[in-house]
Amino acid sequence: MKKILFLFLLIFFAFCPIFSQKKAKLALDLTKMPQQMIYSAVFNMLIEPERYEGKEIRINGRFGVFDNPANPSGEKIYACIVPDAMACCEQGLEFALPKGALYPRDYPAVDSLITIKGVFHHYVEDGYDVYKLVDTVVEKVQ
């Protein structure tokens, strides 16, 4: 059953017009997808980051702030948290507002529903893969 679902998602992502490279700057608008497809799309970003590198992504979810244990200076990690369809498992997509943004002044309240748009970037830091939306704009806060 999992293989059939994976095959369906693979075919969907390959032919879905939302993913069209011919559109203007926005490469992937996750705000127009059902919840289970959003979760699957975020998972796909983590397993095929080269496909999304440098592309503009729009996503909505819950705003979360986490301590960064790898950075003793107290730098925080800001994320858009996306639950799965059963609301048992969550995935977060880290994001960074433009330089100069300060927490909490320039960020939404924790657990608020947000819509953000940013450029997908993947890199390795201290041996760990990092997936992040950079130059992010908070478009909507509820």
Side-chain angles (χ1 to χ4, degrees):
M1 183 66 174
K2 287 183 180 181
K3 289 180 183 179
I4 293 171
L5 178 60
F6 180 76
L7 183 60
F8 169 76
L9 293 175
L10 186 62
I11 292 169
F12 176 81
F13 288 128
F15 296 104
C16 181
I18 295 172
F19 291 89
S20 174
Q21 303 287 326
K22 297 175 186 172
K23 285 193 173 189
K25 194 174 179 189
L26 187 63
L28 179 59
D29 190 347
L30 299 175
T31 64
K32 299 187 184 304
M33 293 181 172
Q35 193 64 38
Q36 60 264 51
M37 294 306 294
I38 295 170
Y39 186 84
S40 299
V42 172
F43 180 76
N44 195 48
M45 285 182 214
L46 305 181
I47 61 172
E48 291 186 289
E50 63 283 349
R51 181 175 177 194
Y52 301 94
E53 183 66 38
K55 299 202 170 136
E56 195 169 56
I57 310 289
R58 177 181 287 131
I59 188 170
N60 50 15
R62 187 175 44 83
F63 176 65
V65 179
F66 306 93
D67 290 324
N68 184 352
N71 190 332
S73 68
E75 180 182 339
K76 302 277 187 195
I77 295 172
Y78 309 102
C80 183
I81 310 298
V82 180
D84 69 335
M86 299 297 290
C88 69
C89 308
E90 297 180 320
Q91 291 187 90
L93 190 55
E94 183 179 353
F95 69 90
L97 294 182
K99 289 205 182 282
L102 297 174
Y103 180 77
R105 182 188 74 192
D106 300 319
Y107 287 82
V110 173
D111 289 331
S112 59
L113 297 176
I114 60 171
T115 300
I116 59 173
K117 181 171 65 173
V119 178
F120 186 83
H121 184 55
H122 166 250
Y123 59 95
V124 177
E125 183 177 287
D126 296 327
Y128 294 98
D129 285 308
V130 178
Y131 311 92
K132 184 185 248 184
L133 293 182
V134 296
D135 298 326
T136 304
V137 175
V138 178
E139 295 184 328
K140 186 176 179 183
V141 178
Q142 296 176 336

